[in-house]
Amino acid sequence: MNASASRAAVPVAFEAAAPAALADGRVRANVLHATTSIRAKRAAVVADVPDWVELRAAGAAIRASALARLEELLVALESSVVAAGGAVHWAADAAQANEIVTRLVVSTGAREVVKVKSLTTDEIGLNDALTAAGIAPLETDLAEWVVQLAGERPSHLLVPALHRNRSDIAVLLRETLGEPGLPDDPPALTAAARRYLRSAFLRAGVAISGANFAVAETGTVCVVESEGNGRMCTTLPDTLITVMGIEKVIPEWRDLGVLLQLLPRSSTGERMNPYTSLWTGVREGDGPSTFHLVLLDAGRARALSDPVGRPALRCIRCSACVNVCPVYRQTGGHAYPTVYAGPIGAILQPQLDGEVGVSASLPYASSLCGACADVCPVGIDIPRILVHERAKLVARARPGVEGRALRALGRSFSSIERYERAQRLARTLQRPFLRRGRLRWLPGPLAAWGRSRTLPGIPSETFREWWESRERRP
């Protein structure tokens, strides 16, 4: 069984991948069923909180304050982690982060690592980097493990195997675990996974995690999860390596009291996560004896410098915006060329990439309906940032035929003389295409534009001309 199957694939822009995703009725049905269920659970537990609006405002204020003081808080976090016996490493980009983590694992002599579900390590392609160095990464979150066995990319921020149903998973596990009689009963599938993963937990010397939050005041790192695999990874191995985006830092311990109410309700539809793991450095005889925290920039500082786009960094990765997005619910996550799918991916990933590459067009993968902003637990105005990102693309793009035509119109409209000359010229040029006062078709690059529109022809005289002729009448 190839438990370290690579997720590497040539990324395809959303607009190129979406048609195939829309044509896959089975995946669409799976995605629709799962997101509908999660939305209903979220609505029920949010309704339990009488001060939900105030709680959201507090969460937004905490995250905004952290971003405003980011440099200060990161320095404080480093100091707190080191004081608690940990080590801190700074990574400017994905390549540097992968090099740091690989070097740390190699230094232990380990040839296998167990992993807690982490979008950040997916973002930097850590599994592929470890595999290239001869180290086998093993995902221990059940859905992440299923996706890894299948050699696929996750299709959802929270539920990576959302595109698969239990029958699909049963077929996969029968083949990879060598258990042909395994039923498609969820408890049986979970038990099969537990039998396989438990031995990996017990033999692993190194674990790798992401982080939901890190507290600058104390140096405490927080991971929330639902299965207990994260707890096994953060307590059993001798060495623990955490890869964290620099935006995940929060100022004080008490801030967790707000964010840990918002996150589970918005993500899994639970009042609290079944497992919330918190650790501060190392402690003799209790958990790992070595702890490394890798702080990743990878475009985050660039996003921070944009006052309109900056709120995207508040994101706590709850996936509430993904579950309500009408675009995501039709295409699923594999249509997106990046780890961060849905509305948050459409505003975050282009900023991380500098609005270049296959993620650049993601801001257009939206109807701008505003549902994402309504459910965001930390008050990110996603539609506003989507429009802002679209404007950046337009400003950077070389004008096409339409752009050049609009510029020519602008010059014509800026002068009454040029405007009237253009009118007279257009009357002459339109004659071959005019039928009963309507332009029925247009030539060349305008043909496709004209097919969807019925345009009135340019009148034989302007209002000004008509008025002047009327005044001249005896």
Side-chain angles (χ1 to χ4, degrees):
M1 177 176 58
N2 182 14
S4 59
S6 172
R7 297 175 181 174
V10 177
V12 178
F14 179 87
E15 58 269 28
L22 290 170
D24 193 331
R26 181 183 62 83
V27 170
R28 289 178 65 192
N30 291 345
V31 171
L32 183 62
H33 172 75
T35 54
T36 300
S37 175
I38 296 171
R39 289 170 65 192
K41 291 173 62 179
R42 176 195 176 275
V45 296
V46 165
D48 287 345
V49 184
D51 59 345
W52 179 251
V53 173
E54 292 79 8
L55 195 64
R56 287 181 68 195
I62 290 168
R63 298 296 294 125
S65 172
L67 294 176
R69 303 166 51 202
L70 189 59
E71 182 177 359
E72 168 198 338
L73 293 179
L74 290 172
V75 171
L77 175 64
E78 179 182 35
S79 176
S80 298
V81 170
V82 171
V88 176
H89 310 263
W90 299 81
D93 53 27
Q96 189 173 14
N98 287 333
E99 185 277 326
I100 291 169
V101 175
T102 301
R103 172 167 46 81
L104 292 173
V105 176
V106 168
S107 70
T108 69
R111 309 311 297 171
E112 179 186 46
V113 298
V114 290
K115 292 185 69 221
V116 186
K117 180 181 182 302
S118 166
L119 289 166
T120 306
T121 61
D122 286 344
E123 174 193 337
I124 65 176
L126 179 60
N127 283 6
D128 290 332
L130 292 172
T131 301
I135 300 163
L138 178 63
E139 299 288 350
T140 63
D141 173 86
L142 180 56
E144 282 278 348
W145 181 58
V146 166
V147 168
Q148 184 182 35
L149 291 179
E152 298 174 333
R153 292 191 301 118
S155 63
H156 188 273
L157 303 187
L158 180 71
V159 193
L162 186 80
H163 57 288
R164 287 181 171 268
N165 57 34
R166 67 186 191 182
S167 298
D168 299 332
I169 295 171
V171 171
L172 176 66
L173 295 191
R174 286 171 197 151
E175 295 173 352
T176 54
L177 296 181
E179 298 188 25
L182 188 64
D184 65 357
D185 177 52
L189 297 175
T190 304
R194 183 181 295 114
R195 287 192 296 272
Y196 179 81
L197 293 172
R198 184 58 59 91
S199 62
F201 290 133
L202 294 175
R203 69 175 180 265
V206 179
I208 297 174
S209 83
N212 292 100
F213 310 106
V215 182
E217 177 185 38
T218 61
T220 303
V221 179
C222 174
V223 165
V224 298
E225 38 107 10
S226 299
E227 300 170 10
N229 63 294
R231 182 69 55 81
M232 301 285 272
C233 289
T234 58
T235 56
L236 291 179
D238 188 61
T239 298
L240 174 59
I241 303 169
T242 295
V243 182
M244 185 188 93
I246 56 175
E247 80 282 13
K248 298 292 186 68
V249 66
I250 58 176
E252 301 177 6
W253 174 266
R254 64 179 179 176
D255 296 332
L256 287 173
V258 173
L259 297 171
L260 291 180
Q261 292 183 72
L262 292 169
L263 179 54
R265 286 180 168 84
S266 297
S267 57
T268 57
E270 297 170 297
R271 292 173 179 83
M272 66 181 296
N273 291 96
Y275 293 90
T276 299
S277 297
L278 302 161
W279 65 94
T280 306
V282 296
R283 183 177 300 174
E284 186 176 355
D286 182 12
S289 62
T290 304
F291 171 59
H292 297 274
L293 177 62
V294 180
L295 296 173
L296 175 71
D297 181 347
R300 288 158 172 82
R302 176 171 51 241
L304 189 69
S305 69
D306 182 343
V308 179
R310 180 187 306 150
L313 295 175
R314 291 186 208 161
C315 176
I316 58 175
R317 309 294 193 267
C318 69
S319 77
C321 65
V322 179
N323 297 329
V324 300
C325 177
V327 176
Y328 174 89
R329 297 180 77 205
Q330 293 299 320
T331 64
H334 285 160
Y336 293 80
T338 60
V339 169
Y340 304 112
I344 187 60
I347 61 171
L348 179 61
Q349 194 67 56
Q351 294 191 78
L352 297 183
D353 294 342
E355 286 83 29
V356 297
V358 293
S359 69
S361 64
L362 280 179
Y364 290 98
S366 170
S367 66
L368 299 179
C369 68
C372 49
D374 289 343
V375 299
C376 177
V378 288
I380 303 173
D381 190 347
I382 295 176
R384 181 185 182 218
I385 302 175
L386 285 167
V387 173
H388 174 65
E389 287 298 308
R390 292 180 184 184
K392 285 192 205 175
L393 291 175
V394 172
R396 294 177 57 170
R398 296 180 62 183
V401 172
E402 183 179 8
R404 291 193 294 270
L406 289 173
R407 286 186 180 181
L409 283 174
R411 286 193 294 272
S412 297
F413 289 170
S414 66
S415 161
I416 184 63
E417 292 81 8
R418 283 197 294 268
Y419 178 65
E420 291 178 343
R421 283 199 301 270
Q423 277 186 315
R424 291 192 291 269
L425 178 62
R427 285 179 202 154
T428 302
L429 296 177
Q430 75 176 349
R431 289 172 185 166
F433 316 108
L434 201 61
R435 300 290 185 275
R436 297 179 182 177
R438 299 281 177 177
L439 292 169
R440 298 298 179 184
W441 63 279
L442 295 173
L446 296 175
W449 188 83
R451 276 196 297 270
S452 61
R453 296 164 175 83
T454 301
L455 303 174
I458 297 171
S460 58
E461 61 179 351
T462 66
F463 175 82
R464 184 190 298 274
E465 291 168 340
W466 172 83
W467 183 265
E468 289 177 350
S469 66
R470 179 178 176 275
E471 289 296 305
R472 288 194 298 266
R473 292 172 188 168

